[in-house]
């Protein structure tokens, strides 16, 4: 007789939305995964990816024990052997070539795994390298930069209070597909509908008529990479038409006059029209509507962040919210009060430009160098060259610009270790892979996403299943590596501190600790706890040295000259089309294509193109075309759609699994090609070092291999 089924509640850790799951299981088998209706935040919402947690758990390609690459293939080795070899080889490289000869790449799931979030930094610190890279410079550095410069700390990023807003202006975000980012908001679709039901409006600015645009009240096409011109023109209109109303923020805000002077003569809507393709009248109308709405939030995301003027664009997004008094005001852009507040006691921030990258002279930010220059640092000989790499939770061969160059660079290393669960496009270059227990096997608390949520909430998930015998948690791996690197006496019988102990401390000493919130409370409330709507937090929350909000920071204002140059040059190129990215609900960056239920159906790795652009090139629907950029070419089937702005083409990222040595049985059958074989490692936002993925100049030619 089989045992009865049981129910387990936990948070989905696959994206930023923090959906509550209700999982029925028997023994070690998942019977079903559904939305947890009693989760006060997600209210039963899930997306199709949640069910794939089961596929990851049962995936025969997922590694459970360390493996070593040999001439005849991969062999399993013991943890002792793996740790010894990794630490010996890393030390050897550092002894021979200096500490900077070891580079690190930390990828996106680093912040979706509690153990990695808590334990990886100690290991990285023990390496003492200045060659630290992460997905942040392929994603959100502009948000951090603007937050640091204006509010005093890179983590002080405001989020849209969409549950109370009457006007949500979205630039370069597609939350209906991505489920939101730098805005943890499970069930965006219903929250968006609620805005409309209470008489509010949603406006989307995007070069593609997206899934979100379809649900919005208005969609405006914009030429890729030109948001900073639109936003400057909006600031111009705010001053010219006397719409500025800083309100209560005026008491602690500096720099309003500086910004006014910047837009006094330049950056009119007429000038912006030429670059953005948005009629001047539309820019004026949108600005007036935004300023007039009592509760409005201007929100920008990946589309505006990963472009040549990303830093300026995110500063302008904040500036527009400040100038109209919508920052830190209900229904506007607000700051979360998280239950675990890792900014408690934070000092004014200075982690910028303390060192520069060796080859291109790019400044460090937040202890990191731009990932766009990682391949240069590996391939360029000389003192300080990277000879060994550590990757964790990352697949930069598919996810960073000019991935082919990085692919070649990784192949040239003396040593590489990957902390990862798969043998994929990146980790196939590793000499040793250390796999972590993951997903349903782990305890979970979202330190980062509770911090960026549109409501104050807290939730802890216990592991559902025990990890496999012989498997290790990520925090065990990082702690052991750290201790061995530090030559500390390593005593296998002394238990390592568990990450949830840190969460317990964080909760007790956090803003709700006085009311008794602790890990125990969260364990007793497995659906999570609601701590109320966002509250105004300024000026108290500011971390600038003078406790004032700086609307016109020097580093940012200096970058305006670059924008002015582009205003004159008008962004032309010998290549006629501009390439942008695309996210699909059933993709998750580069790593979830090994789940049959997520990849089945029509091929999603297509080039979307406007029919006019196709006709002028004699391209027909479904045909395989060649897309060529400065750095490379790919062949991909074309999909014709008026969803695309003419002159703009789009491809998803995270495909390209057809490379030799990849051990992903299902993903390899849906290999696709990588957009990052086209994106250019030389094209970055000069201010923040962020990859300019969007607006890459390309040509599209009918036929294969042309
Ligand atoms: N052209 C283009 N490129 C882009 C983007 C774009 O919009 N356009 N988006 C960028 C953005 S926003 C991001 S964040 C990056 C993401 O790019 P990456 O940082 O490279 O992250 P992923 O592609 O998600 O790769 C995740 C890796 O983590 C491994 N993994 C999964 N779970 C675990 C775990 O529990 N433990 C460990 N140790 N490993 C695990 C997977 O096997 C995989 O190797 O891509 C960027 N690249
Ligand atoms: N299903 C799914 N969900 C995900 C991910 C995933 O890969 N798949 N990845 C996760 C990660 S790591 C992140 S960072 C978030 C990202 O979350 P979002 O920022 O919502 O990501 P996207 O869906 O890529 O939306 C970016 C939008 O910007 C538009 N865009 C491109 N160029 C420009 C431009 O120059 N200007 C403007 N205004 N718009 C432009 C694109 O057409 C696209 O609609 O999603 C997360 N959630
Ligand atoms: S939206 Fe994100 S958190 Fe929610 S179920 Fe899907 S992948 Fe998980
Ligand atoms: Mo991201």
């Amino acid at each position: 007789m089989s045992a009865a089924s049981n129910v387990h509640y936990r948070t989905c850790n696959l994206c930023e939305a923090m959906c509550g799951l209700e999982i029925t299981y028997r023994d070690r088998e998942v019977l079903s995964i559904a939305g947890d209706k009693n989760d006060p935040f997600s209210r039963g919402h899930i997306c199709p990816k949640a069910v794939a947690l089961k596929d990851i758990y049962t995936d025969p390609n997922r590694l459970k024990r360390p493996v070593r690459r040999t001439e005849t293939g991969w062999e399993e080795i013991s943890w002792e052997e793996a740790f010894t070899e990794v630490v010996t080889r890393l030390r050897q490289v550092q002894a021979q070539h200096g500490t900077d000869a070891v580079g690190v790449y930390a990828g996106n799931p680093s912040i979706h795994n509690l153990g990695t979030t808590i334990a990886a930094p100690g290991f990285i610190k023990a390496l003492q390298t200045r060659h630290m890279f992460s997905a942040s410079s392929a994603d959100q550095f502009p948000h951090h930069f603007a937050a640091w410069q204006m509010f005093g700390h890179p983590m002080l990023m405001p989020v849209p209070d969409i549950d109370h807003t009457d006007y949500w202006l979205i630039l370069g975000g597609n939350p209906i597909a991505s489920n939101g980012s730098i805005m943890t908001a499970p069930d965006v679709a219903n929250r968006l509908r609620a805005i409309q039901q209470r008489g509010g409006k949603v406006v989307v600015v995007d070069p593609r008529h997206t899934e979100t645009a379809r649900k919005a009240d208005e969609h405006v096409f914009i030429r890729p990479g030109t948001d900073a011109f639109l936003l400057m023109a909006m600031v111009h209109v705010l001053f010219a038409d006397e719409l500025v109303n800083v309100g209560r923020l005026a008491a602690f805000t500096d720099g309003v006059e500086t910004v006014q002077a910047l837009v006094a003569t330049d950056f009119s809507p007429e000038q912006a029209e030429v670059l953005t393709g948005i009629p001047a009248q539309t820019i004026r109308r949108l600005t007036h509507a935004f300023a007039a709405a009592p509760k409005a939030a201007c929100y920008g995301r990946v589309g505006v962040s990963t472009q040549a003027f990303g830093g300026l664009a995110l500063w302008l997004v904040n500036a527009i919210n400040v100038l109209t008094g919508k920052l830190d005001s209900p229904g506007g852009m607000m700051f979360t009060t998280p239950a675990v507040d890792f900014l408690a006691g934070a000092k004014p921030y200075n982690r910028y430009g303390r060192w520069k990258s060796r080859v291109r002279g790019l400044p460090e930010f937040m202890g990191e160098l731009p990932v766009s220059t990682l391949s240069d640092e590996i391939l360029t000989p000389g003192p300080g060259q990277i000879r060994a790499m550590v990757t964790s939770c990352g697949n930069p061969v598919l996810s960073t610009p000019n991935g082919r160059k990085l692919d070649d660079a990784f192949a040239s290393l003396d040593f590489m270790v990957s902390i990862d669960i798969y043998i994929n496009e990146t980790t196939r270059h590793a000499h040793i892979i250390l796999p972590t227990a993951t997903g349903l096997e782990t305890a979970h608390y979202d330190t980062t996403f509770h911090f960026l949520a549109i409501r104050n909430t807290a939730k802890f998930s216990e592991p559902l299943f025990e990890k496999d015998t012989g498997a290790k948690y990520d925090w065990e791996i990082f702690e052991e590596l750290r201790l061995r690197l530090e030559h500390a006496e390593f005593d296998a019988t002394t238990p390592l501190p568990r990450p949830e102990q840190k969460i317990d401390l964080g909760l007790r000493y956090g803003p709700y600790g006085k009311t008794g919130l602790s890990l125990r409370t969260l364990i007793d409330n497995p659906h999570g706890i609601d701590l109320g709507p966002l509250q105004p937090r300024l000026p108290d929350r500011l971390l600038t040295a003078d406790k004032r909000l700086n609307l016109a920071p020097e580093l940012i204002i200096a970058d305006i000259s670059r924008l002015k140059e582009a205003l004159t040059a008008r962004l032309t190129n010998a290549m006629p089309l501009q390439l942008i990215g695309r996210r699909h609900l059933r993709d998750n960056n580069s790593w979830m294509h090994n789940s049959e239920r997520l990849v089945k159906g029509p091929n999603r790795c297509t080039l979307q193109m406007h029919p006019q652009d196709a006709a002028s090139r004699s391209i027909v629907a479904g045909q395989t075309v060649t897309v060529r950029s400065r750095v490379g070419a790919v062949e991909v089937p074309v999909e014709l759609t008026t969803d695309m702005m003419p002159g703009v083409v789009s491809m998803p990222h995270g495909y390209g699994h057809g490379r030799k040595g990849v051990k992903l049985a299902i993903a390899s059958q849906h290999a696709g090609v990588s957009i990052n074989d086209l994106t250019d490692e030389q094209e970055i936002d000069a201010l923040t070092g962020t990859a300019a993925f969007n607006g890459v100049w390309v040509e599209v030619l009918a036929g294969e291999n042309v």
Side-chain angles (χ1 to χ4, degrees):
M1 205 178 80
S2 66
S5 63
N6 292 301
V7 180
H8 169 81
Y9 297 100
R10 69 185 289 108
T11 306
C12 174
N13 70 319
L14 294 172
C15 87
E16 299 180 32
M18 296 200 307
C19 297
L21 307 179
E22 182 180 278
I23 305 179
T24 47
Y25 68 100
R26 184 184 299 124
D27 299 329
R28 278 207 166 205
E29 191 194 352
V30 171
L31 301 176
S32 71
I33 299 183
D36 176 3
K37 293 190 183 60
N38 294 317
D39 180 312
F41 194 27
S42 65
R43 310 174 297 206
H45 171 79
I46 52 166
C47 87
K49 288 188 292 299
V51 188
L53 280 168
K54 174 180 177 173
D55 304 339
I56 298 167
Y57 180 65
T58 56
D59 191 341
N61 288 136
R62 179 160 69 92
L63 303 173
K64 310 274 174 61
R65 308 243 160 82
V67 289
R68 172 162 53 205
R69 184 160 51 84
T70 72
E71 297 208 332
T72 51
W74 293 88
E75 63 175 16
E76 261 188 24
I77 54 175
S78 73
W79 283 102
E80 179 55 38
E81 210 179 338
F83 282 131
T84 305
E85 183 163 340
V86 168
V87 172
T88 311
R89 298 286 295 273
L90 291 177
R91 276 221 203 98
Q92 252 169 19
V93 168
Q94 289 192 316
Q96 252 182 308
H97 306 286
T99 48
D100 293 338
V102 172
V104 179
Y105 176 82
N108 172 274
S110 300
I111 42 164
H112 292 279
N113 284 292
L114 175 64
T116 302
T117 307
I118 297 232
F123 160 66
I124 294 166
K125 198 163 172 228
L127 283 171
Q128 292 185 311
T129 176
R130 291 178 163 191
H131 276 139
M132 174 66 204
F133 303 84
S134 86
S136 297
S137 58
D139 182 347
Q140 81 283 4
F141 258 7
H143 292 257
H144 290 312
F145 198 89
W148 165 49
Q149 289 284 295
M150 301 176 82
F151 314 129
H153 197 283
M155 285 308 297
L156 279 181
M157 296 180 288
V159 299
D161 183 16
I162 60 173
D163 284 352
H164 303 103
T165 199
D166 297 324
Y167 194 101
W168 188 18
L169 176 59
I170 306 174
L171 299 105
N174 185 10
I176 294 295
S178 70
N179 283 296
S181 182
I182 313 197
M183 170 191 75
T184 288
D187 198 7
V188 174
N190 274 316
R191 293 178 196 269
L192 193 151
R193 197 170 305 127
I195 298 175
Q196 294 164 328
Q197 279 165 355
R198 58 179 178 262
K201 276 197 160 40
V202 179
V203 178
V204 171
V205 179
D206 199 299
R208 182 171 159 259
H209 187 73
T210 61
E211 294 74 6
T212 307
R214 248 169 246 157
K215 293 189 185 287
D217 299 274
E218 183 174 355
H219 168 241
V220 179
F221 276 131
I222 184 167
R223 275 184 64 194
T226 66
D227 296 78
F229 300 101
L230 164 68
L231 293 161
M232 281 299 263
M234 290 178 71
V235 173
H236 177 105
V237 174
L238 286 177
F239 283 105
D241 296 358
E242 293 177 10
L243 300 170
V244 171
N245 179 10
V246 182
R248 64 174 264 278
L249 305 175
F252 48 86
T253 297
D254 295 321
V256 176
E257 299 75 21
T258 312
V259 175
Q260 180 168 20
L262 280 177
V263 294
T265 48
D266 268 325
F267 301 109
S268 67
E270 283 70 22
Q271 281 176 305
E273 173 173 341
V274 179
L275 286 127
T276 60
I278 304 174
Q281 267 325 307
T282 306
I283 299 176
R284 289 206 165 81
R285 179 172 54 77
L286 290 178
T287 313
H288 277 260
F290 185 83
K295 293 173 174 178
C298 175
Y299 161 83
R301 200 44 201 103
V302 152
V304 284
S305 178
T306 55
Q307 56 165 273
F309 297 106
L312 283 179
L314 266 306
W315 163 68
L316 284 159
V317 164
N318 287 343
I320 286 172
N321 289 305
V322 172
L323 290 169
T324 52
K326 319 289 193 208
L327 186 87
D328 198 40
S329 173
M333 293 295 282
M334 299 192 78
F335 298 95
T336 310
T337 306
V340 175
D341 182 10
F342 51 81
L343 285 189
K347 305 254 169 353
Y349 199 83
N350 69 346
R351 296 170 76 197
Y352 173 75
R354 292 170 302 164
W355 57 85
K356 292 209 159 119
S357 72
R358 185 177 60 101
V359 180
R360 282 159 63 184
L362 304 173
E364 159 267 351
F365 180 42
M366 299 178 81
E368 297 181 23
L369 291 169
V371 73
S372 293
T373 195
L374 172 55
S375 55
D376 304 318
E377 294 296 331
I378 299 174
L379 293 170
T380 314
Q385 180 185 6
I386 296 178
R387 310 289 287 262
M389 275 299 296
V390 179
T391 71
S392 169
C393 295
N395 190 1
V397 165
L398 292 192
S399 56
T400 66
N402 200 351
R404 285 282 168 189
K405 186 174 165 195
L406 192 60
D407 209 349
D408 294 342
F410 283 162
S412 75
L413 289 167
D414 294 345
F415 182 68
M416 174 160 158
V417 55
S418 293
I419 296 136
D420 206 288
I421 56 175
Y422 289 117
I423 299 174
N424 63 20
E425 300 70 24
T426 295
T427 63
R428 74 198 162 111
H429 292 296
H431 294 82
I432 290 190
I433 304 176
L434 306 174
T436 69
T438 187
L440 303 178
E441 302 161 335
T442 61
H444 190 69
Y445 184 92
D446 278 290
T447 49
T448 307
F449 303 113
H450 280 305
F451 195 97
L452 299 171
I454 61 145
R455 261 188 98 81
N456 299 316
T457 60
K459 182 168 164 181
F460 176 74
S461 313
E462 299 198 78
L464 166 56
F465 298 129
E466 256 177 60
K467 63 182 172 151
D468 258 49
T469 4
K472 280 194 189 288
Y473 294 117
D474 42 7
W475 51 273
E476 293 179 298
I477 297 170
F478 287 116
E479 279 292 289
E480 184 150 354
L481 286 171
R482 177 180 70 80
L483 290 167
R484 286 180 186 239
L485 272 176
E486 289 173 344
H487 297 273
E489 198 63 34
F490 184 70
D491 176 2
T493 57
T494 316
L496 297 165
R498 300 178 74 88
E500 50 266 44
Q501 293 171 323
K502 285 212 171 154
I503 296 303
D504 189 38
L505 280 178
L507 291 167
R508 286 170 190 276
Y509 289 99
Y512 310 90
K514 286 188 289 295
T515 62
L517 191 65
S518 71
L519 190 65
R520 186 73 254 160
T521 330
L522 296 187
I523 290 172
D524 292 342
N525 292 275
H527 306 289
I529 288 188
D530 183 47
L531 298 164
L534 304 185
Q535 302 292 339
R537 294 301 313 272
L538 301 189
D540 284 3
R541 191 74 166 148
L542 292 173
L543 281 165
T544 43
D546 57 3
K547 275 273 179 192
R548 295 180 65 80
L549 191 163
N550 190 357
L551 196 65
E554 263 173 54
L555 285 174
I556 289 176
I557 299 302
D559 199 38
I560 301 276
S561 57
R562 200 165 55 95
L563 198 66
K564 280 197 179 165
E565 281 163 31
L567 200 57
T568 334
R570 296 198 171 171
L571 303 176
T572 50
N573 192 282
M575 300 267 196
L577 297 167
Q578 281 185 291
L579 175 67
I580 61 167
R582 183 169 87 236
R583 279 176 165 79
H584 189 281
L585 186 60
R586 285 190 287 133
D587 291 323
N588 194 17
N589 296 321
S590 75
W591 73 280
M592 286 186 62
H593 294 143
N594 216 37
S595 159
E596 184 64 48
R597 80 180 90 219
L598 292 186
V599 287
K600 68 176 184 218
N603 178 13
R604 300 197 292 269
C605 188
T606 60
L607 183 82
Q608 291 191 345
M609 187 178 215
H610 193 279
Q612 270 170 27
D613 290 324
S616 62
R617 290 169 174 78
S618 307
I619 289 169
V620 295
Q623 175 179 4
T624 298
V625 294
T626 302
V627 190
R628 192 175 290 286
S629 73
R630 184 191 76 86
V631 309
V634 301
E635 287 154 34
V636 60
V638 79
E639 199 184 328
L640 302 187
T641 166
T642 50
D643 284 346
M644 292 310 302
M645 184 177 188
V648 184
V649 290
S650 147
M651 267 176 77
H653 74 283
Y655 284 90
H657 307 298
R659 287 162 219 227
K660 211 171 144 234
V662 170
K663 298 220 180 296
L664 297 165
I666 296 168
S668 300
Q669 290 163 26
H670 305 264
V673 292
S674 176
I675 186 176
N676 287 324
D677 292 349
L678 297 168
T679 56
D680 194 331
E681 88 283 12
Q682 295 294 328
E683 296 293 329
I684 58 169
D685 169 27
L687 182 61
T688 65
T690 310
F693 286 127
N694 291 312
V696 176
W697 292 98
V698 294
E699 176 53 304
V700 177
L701 302 155
E704 293 174 35
N705 214 358
V706 284

